[in-house]
Amino acid sequence: MPLQAVEPQRLYRQIAGQLRALIQAGEFAVGARLPAERDLAKQLGVSRPSVREALIALEVEDWVEIRTGSGVYVLDRTGAANPNGRVEVSPAEWGPLELIRARRVVEGEIASIAATQARRKDMAAMDGAIAAMKSAAAQGVLPLEGDRAFHTAVAEACGNVVLTETVQNFWDSRRGPLFERLGGHFETPQSWRCAIAEHEAIVEAIRVHDGAGARAAMHAHMDKSHARFSASWRRAKSA
């Protein structure tokens, strides 16, 4: 038998694979509640965010259902319910919480550089993006386009197309099914109001050419974003 190429798997996929195998083997019966997130993390020797990403992947693929305030339950996949509408998570998709941590590193430095190089047109683009976010949020619409425009404007102030495209690629990764499902559990009008205020702190530091302050404000924004998506399931919004 010829050898086959070995592909490295993202950690959340390895965790999801183990849980999926246990479900298929009958270790967790249909309708059973999985162990708590913290218990799974302890047994697997991984972080709770990695377990959360794995559970979201299993929910996207209809292996489990996450019930706010109750737990994670095994679904019956043998019936005809939604057999053709299931979403398969791409092996290339980044884990949402891991992505936020990467953005913290990269975009913190980008904000610091922007504070030393931003011109009037760059500031106008940032201000316009925040205005668009506020307008969308006031209408009850997720201000995603304004959010993308803001982070793009900060990167463009650095005058480096690689940084701009890197930030855009980072942001566009949130359009994947994992991030969208996670956002469906935790994004609320209140969370977006908080995020907009965090963006305003970033732009004000850039406006006064405070590189350290801009970096710190971007770090704070990413840390708070990570915390919002890592909150207890009991604090997730109701379906």
Side-chain angles (χ1 to χ4, degrees), residues 68-87:
T68 301
S70 179
V72 182
Y73 294 83
V74 177
L75 292 177
D76 183 0
R77 299 179 99 248
T78 62
N82 199 28
N84 299 315
R86 291 173 181 148
V87 176

Side-chain angles (χ1 to χ4, degrees), residues 166-188:
T166 296
V167 166
Q168 290 175 333
N169 288 337
F170 277 165
W171 198 96
D172 290 343
S173 294
R174 70 165 291 147
R175 298 185 189 276
L178 289 186
F179 216 127
E180 288 191 351
R181 183 63 61 92
L182 190 64
H185 284 296
F186 290 97
E187 288 182 316
T188 64

Side-chain angles (χ1 to χ4, degrees), residues 13 16 21 27 34 42 47 103 105 114 123 142-143 202 208 228:
R13 291 187 63 83
E27 293 293 328
L34 294 185
K42 184 176 180 179
S47 68
R103 289 184 61 188
V105 174
M123 299 311 306
L142 293 181
I202 295 166
V208 298
R228 284 190 283 268

Side-chain angles (χ1 to χ4, degrees), residues 11-12 15 18-19 23 48 53 84 93 109-110 169 178 200 204 214-215:
L11 181 57
Y12 79 85
I15 298 168
Q18 285 199 48
L19 295 175
I23 293 171
R48 288 180 66 174
E53 290 171 341
N84 299 315
E93 185 165 354
E109 293 310 305
I110 286 173
N169 288 337
L178 289 186
E200 290 178 316
E204 289 311 313
R215 181 190 297 109

